[in-house]
């Protein structure tokens, strides 16, 4: 089959690989119909996530048709149309029983590697390095889905692929980011990043009752999307001081909650701090550029919530712990527990509360995946989300 493979830093290629096979009684094989390039795939593309190997198959946002199931998969059958959550979760461990699917205790066969960096291992993830299991991803013609009796969600005929595939990651991740803010009527929520996760976080904050949503980014086309589709207020951080502007917009208090939807590759123009982070990251003495996270902490009102759903992989420098502790801030974070959200968000789509396909800017066949990565990485042609059809 054809699959998108990581070939080294800033290099992907569509190559021929063996078709996946059932390896466990709880496996399923899915013929991919639609898959997507995620912003966190760019962290792999740029070489910032450890334990990648040449030839690893990428992709953790995919859906398609079940073509084969193992003998213990009784909830699915060949012909079912499904979307597959990106965390691989057993459904039976203590974490899964508490709904914490992205920290499943049984799905990462390379847990020992992750434990050396993180203390304890999170779940395995499709197409996201050997640190997180070394599983083949879904930017391919077929994928093996472990624990298929737990993860995949059947998709009804009235929901299109370009809507349903968003349930694999970006929509639930944005929704969880907003949910962690404990939004109350009348509150102001600020979102750093107007990529897919940030836009869904802003949309979800609206769904959950926020009175005002403020989105911070530097690309005018992404800020327009936030304004026109979500009714958000926006700040272009290359044209205005974010902290001063947020204080002016909130009578000096700051937002009630701040969502970091950027993660480890945040930008902030030509400031000295950005140059410091960039230099340390290039030299591999710091794994993250946490400018958005630092800013969210400093901006948030005292006693407020900082919600972090942007992806981080290692260690940050100059974390403003003094501000965080002395101002009684609360931080909530985590890779999204997607299985918790897929069904309720599917129902919101079916009720017409949101059409998640609004973020899609580019559609192309799987064979053009390398082109899709370059367009997305360089933000060319007003790119917000690339879908690959198989």
């Amino acid at each position: 089959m054809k699959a998108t493979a990581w070939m080294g830093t800033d290099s992907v290629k569509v190559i021929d690989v063996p078709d996946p096979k059932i390896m466990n009684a709880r496996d399923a094989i899915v013929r991919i119909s639609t898959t997507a390039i995620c912003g966190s795939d760019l962290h792999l593309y740029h070489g910032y996530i450890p334990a990648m190997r040449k030839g690893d198959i990428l992709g953790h946002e995919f859906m398609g048709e079940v073509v084969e199931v193992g003998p213990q998969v009784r909830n699915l059958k060949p012909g079912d149309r499904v979307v597959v959550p990106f965390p691989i979760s057993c459904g039976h461990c203590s974490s899964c029983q508490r709904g914490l699917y992205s920290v499943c205790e049984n799905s990462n066969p390379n847990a020992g590697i992750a434990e050396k960096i993180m203390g304890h291992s999170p779940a395995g993830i499709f197409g996201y390095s050997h640190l997180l299991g070394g599983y083949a991803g879904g930017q391919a013609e077929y994928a093996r889905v472990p624990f298929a009796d737990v993860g995949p969600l059947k998709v009804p005929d009235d929901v299109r692929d370009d809507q349903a595939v968003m349930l694999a990651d970006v929509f639930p991740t944005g929704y969880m980011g907003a949910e962690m803010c404990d939004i109350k009527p009348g509150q102001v929520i600020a979102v750093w990043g107007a990529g897919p996760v940030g836009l869904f976080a802003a949309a979800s904050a609206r769904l959950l009752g926020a009175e005002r949503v403020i989105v911070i980014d530097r690309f005018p086309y992404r800020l327009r999307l936030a304004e026109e589709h979500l009714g958000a207020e926006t700040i272009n951080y290359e044209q205005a001081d974010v902290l001063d502007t947020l204080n002016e917009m909130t009578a000096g208090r700051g937002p009630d909650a701040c969502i970091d939807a950027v993660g480890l590759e945040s930008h902030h123009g030509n400031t000295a701090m950005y140059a410091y982070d960039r230099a340390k990251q290039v030299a591999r003495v710091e794994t993250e550029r946490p400018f958005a996270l630092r800013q969210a902490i400093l901006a948030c009102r005292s006693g407020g919530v900082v919600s972090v759903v942007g992806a981080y992989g290692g260690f940050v420098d100059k974390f403003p712990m003094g501000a965080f502790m002395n101002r009684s801030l609360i931080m909530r974070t985590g890779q999204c527990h997607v299985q918790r959200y897929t069904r309720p968000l599917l129902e919101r789509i079916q009720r017409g509360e949101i059409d998640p396909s609004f973020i899609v800017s580019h559609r192309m066949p799987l064979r053009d995946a390398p082109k899709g990565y370059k367009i997305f990485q360089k933000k060319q042609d007003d790119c917000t989300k690339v879908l690959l059809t198989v």
Side-chain angles (χ1 to χ4, degrees):
M1 70 171 185
K2 300 292 185 183
T4 306
W6 187 83
M7 306 304 287
T9 301
D10 295 333
S11 177
V12 300
K13 186 177 180 181
V14 177
I15 63 173
D16 290 306
V17 299
D19 290 358
K21 300 182 185 301
I22 296 287
M23 298 174 63
N24 184 283
R26 297 175 66 189
D27 285 353
I29 304 298
V30 174
R31 180 190 296 118
I32 310 301
S33 58
T34 299
T35 182
I37 301 174
C38 182
S40 57
D41 287 328
L42 296 181
H43 304 326
L44 301 173
Y45 186 67
H46 294 151
Y48 291 129
I49 303 297
M52 288 294 293
R53 299 175 189 169
K54 184 176 180 179
D56 283 348
I57 300 173
L58 298 171
H60 58 269
E61 296 180 303
F62 61 95
M63 65 172 296
E65 179 186 342
V66 175
V67 294
E68 187 179 359
V69 297
Q72 292 184 23
V73 179
R74 300 181 178 89
N75 59 318
L76 299 175
K77 64 183 185 305
D80 284 342
R81 182 168 168 249
V82 296
V83 60
V84 180
F86 78 83
I88 300 169
S89 310
C90 75
H92 298 307
C93 69
S94 174
S95 293
C96 288
Q97 288 295 301
R98 289 180 289 146
L100 304 176
Y101 296 99
S102 72
V103 287
C104 173
E105 297 159 18
N106 292 323
S107 65
N108 185 358
N110 299 329
I113 302 174
E115 287 165 0
K116 291 178 181 178
I117 298 174
M118 301 180 187
H120 297 277
S121 175
I125 293 177
F126 290 103
Y128 215 79
S129 86
H130 294 265
L131 178 72
L132 298 176
Y135 291 97
Q139 290 171 10
E141 293 180 321
Y142 293 87
R144 180 179 76 92
V145 179
F147 303 118
D149 54 333
V150 175
L153 176 72
K154 293 180 185 178
V155 178
D157 292 340
D158 63 340
V159 178
R160 305 187 309 271
D161 269 30
D162 63 357
Q163 297 172 314
V165 74
M166 302 304 166
L167 295 171
D169 179 0
V170 285
F171 188 9
T173 296
Y175 188 90
M176 186 172 115
E179 184 183 70
M180 289 191 296
C181 294
D182 284 340
I183 296 170
K184 306 293 190 299
Q187 288 192 330
V188 179
I189 310 299
V191 180
W192 273 255
V197 170
L199 291 170
F200 279 126
S204 299
R206 284 287 197 202
L207 289 173
L208 293 172
E211 182 170 314
R212 298 171 63 196
V213 177
I214 304 168
V215 176
I216 299 123
D217 203 282
R218 67 188 174 119
F219 293 100
Y221 74 91
R222 303 206 309 187
L223 293 172
R224 281 197 305 272
L225 203 57
E227 293 167 353
E228 294 170 3
H229 283 266
L230 308 176
E233 301 166 72
T234 62
I235 301 172
N236 185 325
Y237 65 73
E238 290 189 336
Q239 298 177 1
D241 183 281
V242 173
L243 297 181
D244 287 348
T245 304
L246 285 172
N247 279 330
E248 291 171 5
M249 297 172 78
T250 59
R253 293 177 66 248
D256 295 287
C258 295
I259 301 173
D260 171 7
V262 179
L264 66 89
E265 291 189 76
S266 61
H267 295 260
H268 204 267
N270 296 315
T271 63
M273 184 59 77
Y274 175 72
Y276 169 90
D277 283 329
R278 189 77 181 95
K280 292 195 75 172
Q281 193 181 49
V282 168
R284 296 300 193 264
V285 292
E286 178 184 24
T287 57
E288 334 287 276
R289 296 197 302 266
F291 205 95
L293 177 59
R294 295 190 195 111
Q295 202 169 64
I297 290 169
L298 296 176
C300 193
R301 71 157 169 84
S302 295
V305 175
V306 178
S307 170
V308 184
V309 288
Y312 288 89
F315 302 94
V316 303
D317 198 359
K318 296 196 176 338
F319 182 87
M321 190 64 203
F324 184 75
M325 180 267 172
N326 284 288
R327 295 199 296 110
S328 301
L329 296 176
I330 299 165
M331 182 180 290
R332 297 191 177 103
T333 186
Q335 290 282 4
C336 184
H337 310 298
V338 176
Q339 290 87 335
R340 186 196 297 175
Y341 299 103
T342 47
R343 189 170 301 280
L345 294 182
L346 174 64
E347 291 170 357
R348 285 185 181 270
I349 294 170
Q350 289 181 292
R351 291 195 298 265
E353 296 177 20
I354 184 170
D355 180 354
S357 67
F358 80 91
I359 68 165
V360 178
S361 60
H362 290 71
R363 304 166 195 259
M364 57 188 69
L366 178 67
R367 65 176 178 271
D368 289 341
K371 175 184 175 182
Y373 269 85
K374 288 182 180 179
I375 291 171
F376 195 25
Q377 186 258 329
K378 296 181 180 297
K379 306 296 184 291
Q380 296 174 341
D381 193 26
D382 290 357
C383 183
T384 53
K385 188 69 172 177
V386 178
L387 295 189
L388 303 172
T389 55
V390 182

